[in-house]
Amino acid sequence: MSEGRILVVEDNPKNLKLVRDVLTYAGYEVIEATSGEDGVRLAAETVPDLILMDLQLPGIDGAEALRQIRATERQVPVVAVTAFAMNNDRARAFDAGFDGYVEKPISVRALPQQVSDFLKLGGIP
Amino acid sequence: MGAGPRPERATVSAEEHEQLRRDLDALRDQFEAADEVLTALGRSAADPEAVLTTVVESARRLCRSDAAYLCLLEYGVYELIKSTGLTDESITYIADHPMPVDRDTLIGRVGLDRQTQQIADVLSDPEYGRYDLQRVAGYRTTMGAPMLVDDDVVGALVLWRNEVRPFDEREMAIVTAFAGQAAMAVNGVTLVQELESRSAELAKNVERLEALREVGEAVSSSLDVDHVLSTIAMHAVALSGTDGGSIMEYSARDRCFMVRSVHRTDPAVVQRLRSIRIDLDETLVGRAAQGRRPIAVSDLDRVHLDPHLKILHDDGWRSLAAVPMLREDQIVGCLIVRRKRKGGFTEETLDLLETFASQSALALLNARLFRELEEQSVELELASTHKSEFLASMSHELRTPLNAVLGFSEVLLERMFGDINERQEEYLRDIHGSGQHLLELLNEILDLSKVEAGRMELEYSSFDLRSLLELATSMLRERAALHGIDLRIETAEMGTVYSDELRLKQVLLNLVTNAVKFTGDGGSVVVGAQRDGPEVLISVTDTGIGVPEADRERIFESFQQGGRGSSREEGTGLGLTLSRRIVELLGGRMWLESEVGRGSTFGFSLPAGDREGTGRPADGSPAACGEVVVIEDDRPSLDLFSAYLSKAALKVTTARDGPSGLAAVRRTLPDAVLLDIRLPGIDGWAVLKELKAEPATRDIPVIVVSIVDERARGVAMGAAAYLVKPIGREDLLTALSAVGAPVPLPGSGHEHREGP
């Protein structure tokens, strides 16, 4: 029995594999997308419980992908994954309407708990 | 009677008689004329005009000439001032074509030779050079005498006949005498004029000083070079008594001049001047500049017209002075003043113009320097932007692979997918440690580049210093314990400071990490703090190996670790550099005291910067009556809310994220909670949901503060009130009061709640 279905949108294959393996190990079902366009499509097709979205993506970026996902799916929590090179990245993530953020490099130990916290956001009326 | 005929001669011939009669008539005429002149001179001592008129008319009559005229020598040319028998056409022609002191004309020769002479027939004199004038006036024989004052030629009296009939000696004597009279009259005039002009001179000097002051002011106060130059051109024209002028800028690259500013010049002429090349080697302006001396032209008709002068001449300009603008002997440009009529320039005027020229040079150079500085700063800014963008992008690009390095090594160390042996674990720790090290290096390079570019943004807030010291040391406690190092804090209660908490923590961590790193097993590291007037002094003292004198400054430079022996772990080599820069940004300074073999103390100062009403209640504030937990990650907002609440005598507990906020509420069970929605990690909604789910916290009123208006959602989830940022003090206190927190109502005259 899966803890939940997580859609991970990340263009770097090694980082995608890392997140996938860690979350799979923690008992989640992981759907992988390597571009914003794939992310939007898979968000509609697979109805995930949570989406982890890299902000810098080839093609449409994370903010645009979020906008397109929100056009049809209002409830699913979408969390930004950012490198936070600059101070204003976090503000930008919130301005774009993300429900939260996870800072890169991700902590393998902390990630399952963070995902669990975010999942509680779902199901809010 | 001695001049009369001899009495002993009985008879004279009729011819002789006739000759004698003519001589007598001539003598009588001469005496009469002389008498007339003398009478006129006596009568008109105060009216030299009348004297000169008498002189000219008498000379013409007595010498049986067709015309007579009198010229004064002004700036090297003869100017016609009085004449008789000349046609209007001739008068105008002479005025427009003045005669210089040369051998072309009779008057010129008179001035050169300083004696009375004649030309029997100008048409047969090989040296004569003014047939133009001869054609207009029609004379053939001409005679003249110099006007001498103190041996200086001041002018000349000239007669002419329209036929070839040379003057005799008697006539030459008359002209010589009359020229002398005219010179005396002119000299008298000059003396009077000199007296009169002395006061005028004084007034003029005042005027000049005034103009120079105005120009100087314009040069030093205005960076608008066009305004400065037009001011200079205007004053130069006014003070040199000319009709117009221009200022040209010299281009060393193109070896030519360009018109920068003009005064009283037809725009069409300016346009033509700008369309031609005013060459350094081929123009009068260029000659003046190359000679580093002003050149004055009193008559443009008489000089070779270069392209520049040609345009001016075509527009009716007749005389000018070109004054080079120099700066340390370099040509900067040229100042030109000009008249529509002919005429020379006095030395005094040229001196004045040179002053204006040097002011113009200064103005132009200032403007050039300013322009260059501006261009450079734009370039620098661009370079700095490129650098920042490069670093930001490099930081992102390097973090992405580092993410995988750190993550996978962590996955293996966590044994998520099976056990590993001891050696594998050691190597994995090496990989992970090196990755961490690389990440720190990356962060420090990015920070340092921000400091260098002046782009490090500080976030000030009030916070408890002791708590921060404890937090920083706690992070190193485990490692210190591993080496048996006694790590402790020795300080009294420090209260709050107003600074950037995160940056200060970064500095403290760096110093404590270094101290632990360089202290041998069993040593000690002491973190101390004390107040010193308006400053707080913080020190980290270790019992390590110490830093030799020679290295004490060097270790603050990038990538220098000093001769501190082999380190157990390599550092980034940037930590101290960055720490010192951060402390300086925060308004303090950092120093090092050390004794080799005994240890080191790294100290730094910070302005305590306590501000009234921020953070902890200041002394004298009433005791807190209620308690509020504020969960807010934005430090300025947190600071502001804390200030409002402390002033209202409420005890404030702050939390910067959801989990610590939940913990604070569970621990203190406050009268109310202020909850921001956008929090790192779990957001405000999740916090609210948790609080409402727990029996212990369910009834504590939660006031949501957010920049987004989602009132309906807030109410649906059980928020007691919903405030949209920005939030004023009154909004906050009103809301707290409305939800039942013990606060005074705003506007009740005093802020502190009376006892319940």
Side-chain angles (χ1 to χ4, degrees):
Chain A
M1 179 62 199
S2 159
E3 296 281 326
R5 179 181 290 169
I6 319 289
L7 171 59
V8 181
V9 190
E10 161 72 62
D11 67 310
N12 182 290
K14 294 191 183 67
N15 285 329
L16 179 58
K17 184 166 81 178
L18 176 67
V19 173
R20 181 196 68 195
D21 290 357
V22 169
L23 291 183
T24 306
Y25 176 77
Y28 294 101
E29 179 191 352
V30 176
I31 318 268
E32 298 168 63
T34 54
S35 69
E37 289 85 347
D38 275 358
V40 173
R41 184 174 53 81
L42 289 169
E45 286 175 13
T46 63
V47 196
D49 298 305
L50 179 75
I51 300 174
L52 292 181
M53 175 91 72
D54 193 32
L55 284 188
Q56 287 198 349
L57 293 167
I60 63 170
D61 67 6
E64 173 59 20
L66 172 67
R67 204 187 58 76
Q68 294 186 14
I69 289 168
R70 283 279 179 255
T72 54
E73 170 55 69
R74 305 199 169 276
Q75 298 302 328
V76 61
V78 184
V79 173
V81 183
T82 70
F84 286 150
M86 298 309 237
N87 282 349
N88 52 5
D89 279 10
R90 192 181 65 178
R92 271 217 306 273
F94 276 125
D95 287 344
F98 284 95
D99 296 291
Y101 69 84
V102 172
E103 190 168 347
K104 266 186 191 176
I106 60 160
S107 161
V108 167
R109 276 187 215 99
L111 187 62
Q113 184 56 46
Q114 283 169 325
V115 165
S116 157
D117 287 342
F118 284 124
L119 273 174
K120 290 181 191 165
L121 292 174
I124 291 166
Chain B
M1 292 301 288
R6 292 182 178 185
E8 60 269 23
R9 290 186 62 170
T11 56
V12 290
S13 70
E15 278 169 40
E16 282 174 323
H17 181 82
E18 183 57 19
Q19 177 63 44
L20 285 171
R21 198 186 57 77
R22 276 206 306 269
D23 284 353
L24 189 63
D25 284 351
L27 274 175
R28 194 186 296 121
D29 278 357
Q30 198 173 334
F31 280 128
E32 274 175 19
D35 184 51
E36 203 180 308
V37 172
L38 285 173
T39 314
L41 288 177
R43 192 174 56 231
S44 57
D47 183 8
E49 277 289 312
V51 175
L52 298 181
T53 304
T54 307
V55 163
V56 171
E57 283 174 356
S58 304
R60 178 191 171 207
R61 187 158 48 81
L62 288 174
C63 298
R64 297 183 185 87
S65 310
D66 295 302
Y69 64 91
L70 198 147
C71 287
L72 289 181
L73 196 54
E74 299 260 0
Y75 309 121
V77 295
Y78 287 105
E79 273 193 37
L80 183 65
I81 57 160
K82 196 62 79 180
S83 68
T84 177
L86 260 61
T87 61
D88 286 349
E89 192 192 357
S90 298
I91 291 173
T92 312
Y93 193 85
I94 292 173
D96 285 349
H97 303 81
M99 292 163 287
V101 185
D102 59 22
R103 301 212 76 85
D104 279 1
T105 59
L106 175 87
I107 198 169
R109 295 177 195 176
V110 164
L112 281 177
D113 302 340
R114 313 160 81 80
Q115 52 180 265
T116 306
Q117 54 190 290
Q118 66 174 317
I119 299 174
D121 181 1
V122 291
L123 294 186
S124 56
D125 184 305
E127 274 196 293
Y128 195 76
R130 290 300 297 273
Y131 295 110
D132 57 327
L133 184 54
Q134 195 278 333
R135 271 194 296 277
V136 174
Y139 53 87
R140 294 293 292 269
T141 301
T142 177
M143 173 183 66
M147 291 161 62
L148 297 166
V149 171
D150 295 339
D151 230 26
D152 288 333
V153 178
V154 297
L157 174 62
V158 176
L159 305 177
W160 77 51
R161 287 172 177 158
N162 293 344
E163 56 185 337
V164 180
R165 186 158 62 85
F167 294 90
D168 61 25
E169 281 191 16
R170 190 181 53 85
E171 287 163 330
M172 289 178 81
I174 290 173
V175 166
T176 307
F178 281 174
Q181 293 290 346
M184 278 168 66
V186 169
N187 191 34
V189 172
T190 312
L191 285 175
V192 173
Q193 276 175 346
E194 271 174 15
L195 276 173
E196 277 175 351
S197 69
R198 195 139 308 168
S199 59
E201 187 75 16
L202 276 171
K204 210 168 158 191
N205 280 340
V206 170
E207 195 189 330
R208 284 176 183 181
L209 285 172
E210 194 70 17
L212 280 174
R213 187 190 57 75
E214 216 171 291
V215 166
E217 213 164 78
V219 170
S220 59
S221 72
S222 176
L223 281 172
D224 177 1
V225 68
D226 291 328
H227 166 73
V228 175
L229 294 181
S230 71
T231 306
I232 292 174
M234 182 186 79
H235 285 296
V237 166
L239 286 183
S240 60
T242 47
D243 307 315
S246 50
I247 291 178
M248 295 186 185
E249 183 170 8
Y250 177 65
S251 162
R253 197 190 56 199
D254 302 328
R255 288 177 72 80
C256 71
F257 294 83
M258 279 146 309
V259 177
R260 272 305 297 260
S261 188
V262 295
H263 184 62
R264 289 219 200 133
T265 306
D266 182 4
V269 171
V270 177
Q271 204 159 17
R272 287 173 63 201
L273 285 177
R274 286 193 167 133
S275 72
I276 57 158
R277 178 179 164 81
I278 304 173
D279 193 277
L280 179 69
D281 298 312
E282 288 160 22
T283 58
L284 178 118
V285 165
R287 275 209 311 285
Q290 285 188 323
R292 307 292 191 269
R293 293 273 305 143
I295 294 181
V297 178
S298 55
D299 178 6
L300 279 174
D301 284 333
R302 311 269 298 150
V303 297
H304 163 71
L305 294 176
D306 62 48
H308 165 237
L309 297 184
K310 172 103 172 54
I311 289 171
L312 293 178
H313 186 266
D314 288 352
D315 190 44
W317 299 92
R318 286 299 172 263
S319 59
L320 62 76
V323 185
M325 288 157 48
L326 305 170
R327 191 73 193 162
E328 281 159 7
D329 214 41
Q330 294 297 302
I331 304 167
V332 178
C334 195
L335 168 66
I336 293 129
V337 292
R338 36 193 149 77
R339 296 196 195 99
K340 288 276 187 177
R341 61 200 156 75
K342 296 167 188 192
F345 293 85
T346 61
E347 274 303 311
E348 190 193 7
T349 302
L350 294 178
D351 283 352
L352 183 72
L353 289 173
E354 282 191 292
T355 308
F356 280 123
S358 78
Q359 294 280 4
S360 309
L362 201 60
L364 272 179
L365 285 177
N366 281 348
R368 268 186 215 167
L369 281 177
F370 185 70
R371 203 164 51 214
E372 279 164 20
L373 274 177
E374 227 172 14
E375 279 164 11
Q376 277 173 8
S377 71
V378 167
E379 277 168 26
L380 279 176
E381 205 169 307
L382 199 65
S384 161
T385 308
H386 286 326
K387 184 178 152 196
S388 296
E389 280 166 6
F390 169 75
L391 284 166
S393 117
M394 186 186 81
S395 163
H396 178 84
E397 295 304 323
L398 291 179
R399 270 160 201 263
T400 302
L402 260 184
N403 189 54
V405 171
L406 291 171
F408 284 118
S409 52
E410 223 177 299
V411 165
L412 293 177
L413 284 167
E414 287 292 303
R415 292 162 171 83
M416 281 184 192
F417 302 102
D419 204 4
I420 49 176
N421 65 36
E422 216 166 283
R423 175 148 303 189
Q424 285 166 334
E425 170 155 3
E426 184 195 327
Y427 290 171
L428 280 170
R429 288 201 187 283
D430 288 345
I431 292 169
H432 194 260
S434 297
Q436 282 291 354
H437 182 210
L438 215 51
L439 187 63
E440 275 169 40
L441 194 58
L442 204 55
N443 288 339
E444 283 178 355
I445 288 173
L446 197 64
D447 276 352
L448 204 55
S449 76
K450 276 191 209 159
V451 174
E452 304 281 338
R455 283 166 189 255
M456 176 164 278
E457 287 164 19
L458 297 174
E459 284 187 48
Y460 277 89
S461 65
S462 288
F463 54 89
D464 186 68
L465 183 59
R466 168 118 199 167
S467 306
L468 184 66
L469 298 181
E470 275 166 5
L471 178 66
T473 44
S474 72
M475 293 173 79
L476 270 301
R477 203 164 293 288
E478 190 185 342
R479 191 164 153 184
L482 213 61
H483 295 277
I485 294 169
D486 176 23
L487 173 60
R488 62 182 191 274
I489 296 172
E490 282 181 6
T491 171
E493 185 61 40
M494 292 299 296
T496 59
V497 293
Y498 186 73
S499 195
D500 185 316
E501 187 177 3
L502 267 189
R503 293 296 173 193
L504 189 54
K505 181 173 146 195
Q506 189 178 353
V507 172
L508 277 168
L509 265 179
N510 178 258
L511 294 185
V512 177
T513 306
N514 280 346
V516 170
K517 194 192 296 177
F518 292 105
T519 297
D521 290 5
S524 73
V525 172
V526 178
V527 180
Q530 65 185 84
R531 281 198 180 250
D532 181 20
E535 291 192 316
V536 172
L537 306 182
I538 297 168
S539 60
V540 178
T541 303
D542 63 52
T543 57
I545 53 173
V547 181
E549 180 81 46
D551 291 330
R552 279 176 208 168
E553 203 41 48
R554 209 165 55 88
I555 59 166
F556 287 106
E557 289 160 21
S558 300
F559 300 110
Q560 298 287 343
Q561 288 192 322
R564 299 174 79 181
S566 58
S567 53
R568 286 195 295 265
E569 186 183 323
E570 57 201 288
T572 61
L574 286 173
L576 276 177
T577 311
L578 185 58
S579 292
R580 180 184 254 192
R581 297 301 300 264
I582 289 173
V583 165
E584 284 165 359
L585 268 186
L586 291 173
R589 60 198 189 288
M590 181 175 278
W591 61 86
L592 162 63
E593 290 159 13
S594 185
E595 204 177 322
V596 176
R598 310 217 38 180
S600 308
T601 297
F602 284 86
F604 63 97
S605 64
L606 277 183
D610 262 342
R611 292 201 321 189
E612 199 207 337
T614 56
R616 178 183 69 104
D619 290 341
S621 288
C625 298
E627 183 155 16
V628 177
V629 170
V630 182
I631 309 172
E632 165 70 87
D633 69 321
D634 177 54
R635 268 180 288 182
S637 298
L638 189 65
D639 213 18
L640 194 66
F641 294 154
S642 302
Y644 291 157
L645 300 175
S646 301
K647 275 224 148 185
L650 289 165
K651 183 164 187 282
V652 181
T653 305
T654 60
R656 301 284 297 276
D657 57 34
S660 58
L662 281 172
V665 175
R666 286 174 190 134
R667 191 173 70 241
T668 62
L669 297 175
D671 295 300
V673 177
L674 285 188
L675 176 63
D676 182 26
I677 291 301
R678 290 185 169 181
L679 295 172
I682 67 169
D683 72 359
W685 297 124
V687 173
L688 183 56
K689 199 174 164 192
E690 291 267 319
L691 289 176
K692 292 299 155 193
E694 286 175 30
T697 56
R698 181 181 296 150
D699 297 324
I700 298 173
V702 176
I703 299 173
V704 173
V705 288
S706 175
I707 55 169
V708 186
D709 189 354
E710 290 177 281
R711 226 170 275 270
R713 187 173 177 190
V715 172
M717 290 187 59
Y722 196 104
L723 298 176
V724 179
K725 290 181 188 175
I727 297 161
R729 184 178 145 277
E730 296 210 350
D731 300 331
L732 191 61
L733 297 185
T734 305
L736 280 169
S737 171
V739 303
V743 287
L745 270 177
S748 62
H750 49 100
E751 294 172 346
H752 303 131
R753 188 177 63 123
E754 306 297 332

